[in-house]
Amino acid sequence: MADTIKADLSVSIGSLKLKNPVMTASGTFGYAREFEPYVNLHRLGAVVVKGISLEPRAGNPPPRIVETSCGMLNAIGLENVGVDRFITEKMVSLQDVKVPVLVNILGDSIDEYREITKRLAGVAGIAGIEVNISCPNVKKGGVAFGTVPEMASAVTRAVREESTVPVIVKLSPNVSDITVIAKAVEEAGADAVSLINTLIGMAIDHKSRRPKIANVIGGLSGPAIKPVALRMVYQVSQVVSIPVIGIGGIETYEDVLEFMLAGATAVQIGTANFVNPRASEEAVEGLACYVKEQKLRSIRDVIGALILP
Amino acid sequence: MADTIKADLSVSIGSLKLKNPVMTASGTFGYAREFEPYVNLHRLGAVVVKGISLEPRAGNPPPRIVETSCGMLNAIGLENVGVDRFITEKMVSLQDVKVPVLVNILGDSIDEYREITKRLAGVAGIAGIEVNISCPNVKKGGVAFGTVPEMASAVTRAVREESTVPVIVKLSPNVSDITVIAKAVEEAGADAVSLINTLIGMAIDHKSRRPKIANVIGGLSGPAIKPVALRMVYQVSQVVSIPVIGIGGIETYEDVLEFMLAGATAVQIGTANFVNPRASEEAVEGLACYVKEQKLRSIRDVIGALILP
Amino acid sequence: MSQFQEKTEITRIERLAVDIYRLTLLSPEIASAAQPGQFVMVRTTNSKDPLLRRPFSICQTSSGKYFQILFKVVGRGTSLLAHCREGEFLSVLGPLGNGFQVDYNSANCLVGGGMGIAPLLFLGKTMLRKCKEQQPIVVLGARNKDELSPLVADFKELGLLVHAATDDGSLGRHGLVTDVLKNISFGTECQFSVCGPTPMMRAVHFFCKEGEYACQVSMETAMACGMGACLGCIVPVEKGGYAHACSDGPVFNAKELLWPIQ
Amino acid sequence: MSQFQEKTEITRIERLAVDIYRLTLLSPEIASAAQPGQFVMVRTTNSKDPLLRRPFSICQTSSGKYFQILFKVVGRGTSLLAHCREGEFLSVLGPLGNGFQVDYNSANCLVGGGMGIAPLLFLGKTMLRKCKEQQPIVVLGARNKDELSPLVADFKELGLLVHAATDDGSLGRHGLVTDVLKNISFGTECQFSVCGPTPMMRAVHFFCKEGEYACQVSMETAMACGMGACLGCIVPVEKGGYAHACSDGPVFNAKELLWPIQ
Ligand SMILES: Cc1cc2nc3c(=O)[nH]c(=O)nc-3n(C[C@H](O)[C@H](O)[C@H](O)COP(=O)(O)OP(=O)(O)OC[C@H]3O[C@@H](n4cnc5c(N)ncnc54)[C@H](O)[C@@H]3O)c2cc1C
Ligand SMILES: Cc1cc2nc3c(=O)[nH]c(=O)nc-3n(C[C@H](O)[C@H](O)[C@H](O)COP(=O)(O)OP(=O)(O)OC[C@H]3O[C@@H](n4cnc5c(N)ncnc54)[C@H](O)[C@@H]3O)c2cc1C
Ligand SMILES: Cc1cc2nc3c(=O)[nH]c(=O)nc-3n(C[C@H](O)[C@H](O)[C@H](O)COP(=O)(O)O)c2cc1C
Ligand SMILES: Cc1cc2nc3c(=O)[nH]c(=O)nc-3n(C[C@H](O)[C@H](O)[C@H](O)COP(=O)(O)O)c2cc1C
Ligand code: FES
Ligand code: FES
């Protein structure tokens, strides 16, 4: 354990220095405290908290989740306490966790994104903002911000203008060409991009002839989507010069290495936290051993080090 | 077995009448004869043969396939004997198989699609053409035909003009909004759409630091993609009035029912043929039992019968 | 918080009925921290399919070292568990959630249906330990004798009297647990602790509402994490919005829930 | 075509070395149709992960009812197989592919490395049955004695003389099988049947080319279907393009392949 400290695992996401590249993904790690029985939180690179909206949201009716082959669908409906209670209640308790906290935000209009960011500006303990642009734009008939370059870039610009901390834009994989969106948000001032959010999926119970989740469609996550995530991380890394954070089906340090080889500077672990709550800390331990065994100067040597045929 | 005959499993894809909705997917069933030791081919609804191009193609170098969580990636590179040898060699041997044969075609220009269709026109034993539009359009810098509505519709129109049999257009899932493409090809004259082709994915071996398939990226198939396929079939069924053929992670008759409830008139079984070569015939048997047990007049009663919350 | 992720050894596997099994697992940490009504999340395979853990009530603990889960094979996860071997290890998270809050010195009634009987055995045992003077009234229901009798036997072994009901009348009363309840006279102070299928819990809740008895129910929902992180396991509550079965429950005061729950 | 999809019963599991196992499977259909050099595709789990079947050479058949596979645990599929129990059933497809084409009356040399030794046992046994006068020369290599000696023992039991080589010298010659080959004098008519790691097969091919001996090699590639349907299992061939290991092979005339194969 003491050994772990010696391996250089540090990476930078813009001005944000992380002691290692392993974060936990929004919506899969609660407000971090839930994992205290299992994880030394301060050993993680960062934690990303559940998506926050301007007003509290009750979320979707049950059932909200269902297992699929090597994955799960969720339609939580972005249940959250709203930005104000987040600041007064959740951030306060998060303060004593000695790990950078990234706040994931969402809205249904550009103004809403802007307003949340304003309220978060200057709040102690927030190391960065991650902007979930997979949400529907109510003014544009519900088309997701993340699927249209102009809308993605408008959201990014608004958040970037109000934010006092690094802004990470979290991309939707449900697009024809993710590199176009990535370039748009880079140009609009994003300090980093994270990808992927969930693929849109559906499950049906043939016996009852009903959808297995009340919202009919939901977000697919877990090992099933890893190949898609890895491909998109690889493609985006080729076209942007800001850091890329890889997400999707990551569980072990080997998975982390694959994403970093594809070009990711850091990663987030999502669904795997449910299966193995210690997954994030174990990935950090695994990376430390890897760096030492391979006698690397730093884990950063792995970033984009994929050898093409 | 004799009982099976009584259940009404027949469905129509345009003018094409199928004795049941279970087909095998292109590229996963060889030229059908490979499965004779395991399957009574004449019990299937139809078989779709491997994609055929104008000229023979050697395909991609090895490795071409790799297993992923609940799925596999392939980059066969569309290895095939070319349309002329297909007609003289493969179709001849396919003639004695008493099952409708659909020919999957692909090209890298609209002219190529048109020319293949011309050569196939009038060839005995061809019940329909399935147009793979996930291929790169060489003239447009390699953007896949299936990701741009205008290109998708131009291919459809060209094939429709030359074809003497029903034309099914096979949609790519790697798009922001598959309903737009579906509507475009319907308008261009497609007699049906089939979906989904593979999701684009990637796999990396962290030990060698190399991609696990020589082509770097490949197509993801199998149970992992079923939720995405089901969602797209559901969405497309809402917006087109031509029949929809569901594909993606289907193995059992329960999977078939799920796709039909979502709106599919028929389905194709792909990767599951590798795991269980009898999957297609077993699905037909399962559907026959289902129709009888549920006392349905016809399996067609299931199409689109999803009950929304 | 006393929660643990453990590789627990399976020390015993018993097949109680055609598709009902009981596993005894070795984990001093979980066994000594567990409270009646709490549950564990169990990994049923080392593979990624099925991916998620499965929740099971803690059915009994013994010697502060062992705990048991009782389950019915209903799908792939439980089928995998049924095929485990003694000596193998299972990855278990727990104990999770909030258990039953009972006044051990008051009159108590335990009402269980099917596998919902599991946590009530733990609760009944604890009641007997904490209060020697008064025994809880136990009402158990299931589909038939084969399923119910091994569970009834466990309570009888503790010296508890069991009122049984089965759907087919093969053991105890022919009918539902509420049919049994109607024929028992309860003191006004009696507190009900209920676990079973939702329609049964709903019926018992309305029975209690009428008689003005306190009533706690243990809710089953789909769960991905079991620890308040995924927000998947919701139940609608009276005051509006949702509670989370894993972290606010699984045991709730029935009055706080918004019935009828589907 | 005599190919079958079978639920074969595992009648015996033997652990031959730390990570080497041999399964005996009951399938009269497969056992009686099998030819040396053919293989089977085995499902290693009922779950969807790992999804695909795994290819294994048929290592021996007996009484026209049983056949054996010999394997090394290298990943998840083989690890699952190693954990099977006798009496369980495995889903097996086979026999698949084209086996060794040998002139049983000519002089023959069998060269095997590691798990590539498996199909050669079947071939050696068949040679002895078909031609009593002449015994094949057998050259086997592996990493060390632990891995090699149980395999050598099988050949010795048939009455065959084995020339052994190990990477660490713990059994037979210290070095590669080609080091052994160089010290044997072969008749010009000698035909080589080779199975093992690709670098070894390449080396033996070049040895044969020099000596102008006929040489057949059994190729291992990734395989999804094992029956010519997926086109995944290619090996580059001399005349240009690719052959399919499962349906054109796995045994090829070494001269028809495009060396060096990676
Ligand atoms: C807090 C809690 C405690 C529980 N305690 C026990 C217990 O002590 N003993 C026991 O046998 N079971 C208990 N359950 C239910 C148990 O978790 C499920 O039976 C199990 O997850 C099914 O897994 P599977 O993989 O076998 O079924 P799956 O393959 O996941 O599903 C098979 C079928 O079972 C249904 N199903 C799935 N989950 C549940 C569920 N939670 N409740 C009812 N039906 C379900 C599905 O809809 C499906 O029709 C408990 C559930 C919760 C939430
Ligand atoms: C025609 C044929 C016959 C075979 N006969 C035998 C046999 O008799 N005995 C035996 O032990 N093995 C044999 N193999 C190899 C065997 O199929 C693989 O070892 C097995 O598929 C590995 O499965 P796994 O799930 O344990 O490994 P995986 O988890 O799939 O992979 C683990 C590691 O093994 C490597 N690997 C995977 N497949 C192969 C392969 N085909 N060859 C070499 N390395 C591989 C992977 O690259 C990875 O590094 C044969 C292969 C073929 C194609
Ligand atoms: C239950 C659940 C809730 C999620 N909530 C959010 C969220 O609030 N905001 C967000 O940006 N992503 C959310 N996600 C997406 C994850 O952060 C992550 O991008 C996705 O799950 C893919 O990673 P994984 O495969 O490792 O889970 C959620 C995912 C799950 C499974
Ligand atoms: C090995 C392989 C080869 C394929 N070749 C083709 C092809 O030639 N043309 C085509 O349209 N689709 C091809 N596909 C896609 C399948 O037809 C199908 O759309 C996809 O695999 C999803 O279905 P599945 O999950 O059931 O496999 C191929 C798929 C696989 C796995
Ligand atoms: S199961 Fe995840 S919050 Fe309750
Ligand atoms: S393994 Fe599928 S074609 Fe050979």
Side-chain angles (χ1 to χ4, degrees):
Chain A
M1 292 277 170
D3 270 349
T4 308
I5 301 152
K6 285 184 233 153
D8 180 5
L9 298 183
S10 65
V11 296
S12 304
I13 307 293
S15 60
L16 180 64
K17 309 281 170 232
L18 303 182
K19 70 166 100 50
N20 65 62
V22 180
M23 319 182 191
T24 56
S26 177
T28 66
F29 208 65
Y31 293 105
R33 304 306 287 254
E34 291 85 346
F35 285 79
E36 269 189 330
Y38 313 105
V39 173
N40 282 330
L41 295 171
H42 71 268
R43 298 201 49 202
L44 304 182
V47 301
V48 184
V49 297
K50 176 75 192 158
I52 302 296
S53 53
L54 195 54
E55 302 297 334
R57 297 194 186 192
N60 289 327
R64 288 179 172 183
I65 51 169
V66 67
E67 190 180 62
T68 64
S69 294
C70 289
M72 64 178 281
L73 283 171
N74 88 78
I76 304 302
L78 303 164
E79 171 185 337
N80 77 94
V81 295
V83 67
D84 294 335
R85 271 183 61 201
F86 171 75
I87 293 168
T88 52
E89 292 171 21
K90 306 292 182 180
M91 265 322 291
V92 169
S93 107
L94 272 164
Q95 304 266 349
D96 12 311
V97 181
K98 292 191 204 73
V99 57
V101 173
L102 305 179
V103 181
N104 182 281
I105 65 168
L106 61 108
D108 48 30
S109 69
I110 298 200
D111 289 344
E112 202 171 320
Y113 279 103
R114 183 185 292 277
E115 182 59 28
I116 303 171
T117 314
K118 267 192 191 156
R119 299 204 193 169
L120 290 173
V123 174
I126 299 180
I129 288 181
E130 183 180 59
V131 192
N132 178 355
I133 57 169
S134 297
C135 311
N137 183 344
V138 169
K139 291 202 183 128
K140 302 275 158 152
V143 179
F145 287 99
T147 60
V148 182
E150 294 72 33
M151 286 176 3
S153 103
V155 172
T156 306
R157 203 162 286 125
V159 174
R160 184 57 283 175
E161 276 166 21
E162 307 298 340
S163 179
T164 52
V165 289
V167 171
I168 299 160
V169 178
K170 183 165 177 180
L171 307 181
S172 163
N174 303 291
V175 295
S176 307
D177 187 350
I178 197 162
T179 64
V180 174
I181 312 286
K183 282 187 282 188
V185 305
E186 174 178 40
E187 212 155 280
D191 299 294
V193 286
S194 59
L195 63 150
I196 58 174
N197 211 318
T198 52
L199 285 167
I200 306 173
M202 182 172 172
I204 293 175
D205 178 24
H206 80 272
K207 286 198 187 124
S208 67
R209 297 191 169 188
R210 286 173 195 281
K212 283 189 179 172
I213 49 182
N215 192 51
V216 184
I217 61 171
L220 182 66
S221 65
I225 70 168
K226 197 179 99 176
V228 175
L230 206 49
R231 182 262 297 184
M232 290 186 165
V233 165
Y234 172 70
Q235 290 177 325
V236 168
S237 301
Q238 312 290 306
V239 300
V240 299
S241 38
I242 51 178
V244 173
I245 300 168
I247 321 171
I250 299 177
E251 184 183 348
T252 64
Y253 83 93
E254 288 100 332
D255 297 328
V256 176
L257 289 174
E258 291 169 27
F259 277 82
M260 295 187 77
L261 288 165
T265 297
V267 300
Q268 295 178 11
I269 294 180
T271 302
N273 293 309
F274 305 155
V275 182
N276 173 14
R278 285 189 36 73
S280 52
E281 189 175 349
E282 286 173 5
V284 175
E285 287 164 4
L287 289 179
C289 292
Y290 178 82
V291 165
K292 275 181 284 178
E293 274 171 22
Q294 301 286 312
K295 302 198 172 35
L296 303 183
R297 274 164 314 158
S298 151
I299 192 71
R300 296 183 298 281
D301 293 352
V302 176
I303 301 170
L306 184 69
I307 303 167
L308 292 180
Chain B
M1 294 277 170
D3 271 350
T4 310
I5 299 151
K6 286 184 230 152
D8 180 5
L9 298 183
S10 66
V11 296
S12 303
I13 306 293
S15 61
L16 180 64
K17 310 282 170 232
L18 302 182
K19 68 167 104 50
N20 65 63
V22 180
M23 318 182 192
T24 54
S26 178
T28 67
F29 208 64
Y31 292 106
R33 304 306 288 256
E34 292 84 348
F35 284 78
E36 271 190 330
Y38 312 105
V39 175
N40 281 331
L41 295 171
H42 69 270
R43 298 200 53 200
L44 305 181
V47 302
V48 184
V49 297
K50 176 77 192 157
I52 302 296
S53 53
L54 194 55
E55 303 297 332
R57 296 194 188 193
N60 288 328
R64 288 180 172 182
I65 52 170
V66 68
E67 190 180 60
T68 64
S69 294
C70 289
M72 64 177 281
L73 285 171
N74 88 79
I76 304 301
L78 302 165
E79 171 185 337
N80 77 94
V81 296
V83 67
D84 294 335
R85 268 182 63 199
F86 170 75
I87 294 169
T88 52
E89 291 171 21
K90 306 291 180 179
M91 265 320 291
V92 168
S93 107
L94 272 162
Q95 304 268 349
D96 13 311
V97 181
K98 291 192 203 72
V99 58
V101 174
L102 305 179
V103 181
N104 182 282
I105 65 167
L106 61 107
D108 47 30
S109 70
I110 296 190
D111 289 344
E112 203 171 320
Y113 280 102
R114 183 186 292 277
E115 181 59 28
I116 302 171
T117 314
K118 266 192 192 159
R119 297 204 194 171
L120 290 173
V123 173
I126 299 180
I129 287 182
E130 183 181 60
V131 192
N132 177 356
I133 59 170
S134 297
C135 313
N137 182 345
V138 169
K139 291 207 181 120
K140 302 276 159 148
V143 178
F145 287 99
T147 59
V148 182
E150 294 72 34
M151 284 175 7
S153 106
V155 172
T156 306
R157 202 163 288 124
V159 174
R160 186 54 283 177
E161 276 168 22
E162 307 299 341
S163 180
T164 51
V165 288
V167 171
I168 300 160
V169 178
K170 182 165 179 181
L171 306 180
S172 163
N174 303 291
V175 294
S176 307
D177 186 350
I178 196 162
T179 64
V180 175
I181 312 284
K183 283 187 282 190
V185 304
E186 175 178 39
E187 214 157 277
D191 298 295
V193 286
S194 59
L195 61 150
I196 59 175
N197 212 317
T198 52
L199 286 166
I200 306 172
M202 182 171 169
I204 293 174
D205 177 25
H206 81 272
K207 286 198 188 126
S208 67
R209 298 190 168 188
R210 287 172 195 279
K212 284 187 178 173
I213 47 180
N215 192 51
V216 185
I217 61 171
L220 181 64
S221 64
I225 69 168
K226 196 180 100 177
V228 175
L230 206 48
R231 181 262 297 183
M232 291 187 165
V233 165
Y234 174 70
Q235 290 177 323
V236 168
S237 302
Q238 311 290 305
V239 300
V240 298
S241 38
I242 50 176
V244 173
I245 300 168
I247 321 172
I250 300 177
E251 185 184 348
T252 65
Y253 82 92
E254 288 100 332
D255 298 328
V256 176
L257 288 173
E258 291 169 28
F259 277 81
M260 294 187 80
L261 287 166
T265 297
V267 300
Q268 294 178 10
I269 294 180
T271 302
N273 294 310
F274 305 155
V275 181
N276 173 13
R278 284 189 37 75
S280 52
E281 189 176 348
E282 286 174 4
V284 175
E285 287 164 5
L287 289 179
C289 292
Y290 178 83
V291 165
K292 275 180 286 177
E293 275 170 22
Q294 301 286 311
K295 302 199 174 35
L296 303 183
R297 273 165 315 158
S298 152
I299 192 71
R300 296 184 298 281
D301 293 354
V302 176
I303 300 170
L306 185 71
I307 303 166
L308 291 180
Chain C
M1 265 174 292
S2 311
Q3 286 166 18
F4 307 92
Q5 176 168 13
E6 288 277 341
K7 285 271 167 208
T8 61
E9 187 184 339
I10 305 175
T11 57
R12 195 163 166 207
I13 301 183
E14 295 159 275
R15 186 172 188 171
L16 303 186
V18 184
D19 51 5
I20 299 180
Y21 291 79
R22 184 162 56 198
L23 298 190
T24 306
L25 300 163
L26 172 63
S27 167
E29 285 79 4
I30 295 175
S32 56
Q35 300 296 325
Q38 287 190 302
F39 66 99
V40 290
M41 293 289 284
V42 181
R43 244 187 120 162
T44 61
T45 172
N46 291 324
S47 123
K48 292 183 177 170
D49 174 58
L51 182 68
L52 299 173
R53 289 170 181 268
R54 300 294 191 256
F56 297 97
S57 301
I58 295 167
C59 160
Q60 223 178 159
T61 67
S62 70
S63 345
K65 280 167 73 180
Y66 301 95
F67 72 96
Q68 293 185 325
I69 59 173
L70 177 78
F71 63 92
K72 189 167 175 166
V73 175
V74 298
R76 290 198 308 140
T78 45
S79 162
L80 283 163
L81 282 182
H83 281 86
C84 286
R85 289 179 254 194
E86 291 176 359
E88 283 184 347
F89 286 79
L90 282 184
S91 168
V92 176
L93 295 184
L96 297 164
N98 300 306
F100 292 99
Q101 303 291 333
V102 294
D103 177 353
Y104 289 103
N105 296 313
S106 143
N108 277 292
C109 176
L110 312 184
V111 188
M115 290 301 102
I117 295 170
L120 299 183
L121 185 68
F122 190 6
L123 182 59
K125 210 170 163 182
T126 309
M127 284 175 169
L128 287 178
R129 213 186 56 233
K130 299 234 173 168
C131 173
K132 298 264 176 324
E133 293 90 66
Q134 195 161 208
Q135 291 203 345
I137 297 168
V138 182
V139 182
L140 305 180
R143 286 197 308 190
N144 55 43
K145 183 182 170 175
D146 285 350
E147 291 196 356
L148 192 55
S149 63
L151 312 183
V152 167
D154 286 334
F155 283 83
K156 288 206 171 140
E157 216 169 273
L158 295 179
L160 286 170
L161 184 80
V162 176
H163 303 267
T166 48
D167 294 351
D168 65 356
S170 54
L171 184 71
R173 197 186 165 95
H174 190 305
L176 305 172
V177 289
T178 37
D179 298 327
V180 177
L181 292 180
K182 279 175 203 145
N183 291 304
I184 303 176
S185 59
F186 298 99
T188 47
E189 296 302 279
C190 188
Q191 302 185 349
F192 283 70
S193 295
V194 192
C195 188
T198 308
M200 182 209 99
M201 294 200 287
R202 182 165 59 217
V204 178
H205 161 60
F206 285 116
F207 173 85
C208 289
K209 220 170 137 183
E210 222 159 86
E212 292 182 16
Y213 307 116
C215 177
Q216 295 176 82
V217 293
S218 178
M219 300 303 296
E220 280 195 13
T221 66
M223 290 186 175
C225 72
M227 53 169 81
C230 74
L231 309 184
C233 60
I234 47 163
V235 281
V237 292
E238 238 284 308
K239 64 172 192 216
Y242 303 107
H244 301 101
C246 72
S247 48
D248 302 322
V251 180
F252 292 93
N253 183 334
K255 279 197 288 194
E256 287 169 11
L257 301 178
L258 183 68
W259 300 94
I261 294 166
Q262 296 310 318
Chain D
M1 268 173 289
S2 312
Q3 285 168 17
F4 307 92
Q5 175 167 16
E6 289 277 342
K7 284 273 167 208
T8 60
E9 187 184 339
I10 305 177
T11 57
R12 196 164 166 204
I13 301 184
E14 296 159 274
R15 187 173 187 168
L16 304 186
V18 183
D19 52 4
I20 299 181
Y21 291 80
R22 183 164 56 198
L23 299 189
T24 307
L25 301 163
L26 173 61
S27 167
E29 284 80 4
I30 295 175
S32 56
Q35 300 295 326
Q38 288 191 301
F39 65 99
V40 291
M41 293 289 285
V42 180
R43 245 186 119 160
T44 61
T45 171
N46 291 323
S47 122
K48 291 182 178 172
D49 175 58
L51 182 67
L52 299 174
R53 289 170 181 268
R54 301 293 192 255
F56 296 97
S57 301
I58 296 168
C59 160
Q60 222 177 159
T61 66
S62 69
S63 342
K65 281 167 72 180
Y66 302 96
F67 72 95
Q68 293 186 325
I69 60 172
L70 176 79
F71 64 92
K72 189 165 179 168
V73 175
V74 298
R76 292 198 309 139
T78 45
S79 161
L80 283 164
L81 282 183
H83 281 86
C84 285
R85 288 180 255 193
E86 291 176 0
E88 284 182 347
F89 286 78
L90 282 185
S91 169
V92 176
L93 295 185
L96 298 163
N98 299 307
F100 292 98
Q101 302 290 331
V102 294
D103 177 352
Y104 289 104
N105 296 312
S106 143
N108 277 291
C109 176
L110 312 184
V111 189
M115 289 301 102
I117 295 171
L120 299 183
L121 184 67
F122 190 5
L123 182 59
K125 210 170 161 182
T126 309
M127 284 176 169
L128 285 179
R129 213 186 57 234
K130 298 235 174 170
C131 173
K132 298 262 175 330
E133 294 89 66
Q134 196 160 206
Q135 292 203 345
I137 298 168
V138 181
V139 183
L140 306 180
R143 285 197 310 193
N144 56 42
K145 182 181 172 176
D146 286 351
E147 291 196 354
L148 192 55
S149 64
L151 311 184
V152 168
D154 285 334
F155 284 83
K156 287 206 172 141
E157 217 170 89
L158 295 179
L160 287 170
L161 184 81
V162 176
H163 304 266
T166 49
D167 293 353
D168 65 356
S170 53
L171 185 70
R173 196 186 166 96
H174 192 306
L176 305 173
V177 289
T178 36
D179 298 327
V180 177
L181 292 180
K182 280 177 203 144
N183 291 303
I184 302 177
S185 60
F186 297 98
T188 47
E189 297 301 279
C190 188
Q191 303 185 351
F192 282 71
S193 296
V194 192
C195 187
T198 308
M200 183 208 100
M201 293 200 288
R202 184 166 54 219
V204 178
H205 160 59
F206 285 115
F207 173 85
C208 288
K209 218 170 139 184
E210 222 159 86
E212 292 182 16
Y213 307 116
C215 177
Q216 294 177 81
V217 295
S218 177
M219 300 303 296
E220 281 195 11
T221 67
M223 289 187 177
C225 71
M227 54 169 83
C230 74
L231 310 184
C233 60
I234 48 162
V235 282
V237 292
E238 240 283 308
K239 63 173 193 218
Y242 304 108
H244 301 100
C246 72
S247 48
D248 302 321
V251 179
F252 292 92
N253 183 333
K255 277 197 287 192
E256 287 169 10
L257 301 178
L258 183 69
W259 301 95
I261 295 166
Q262 297 308 320

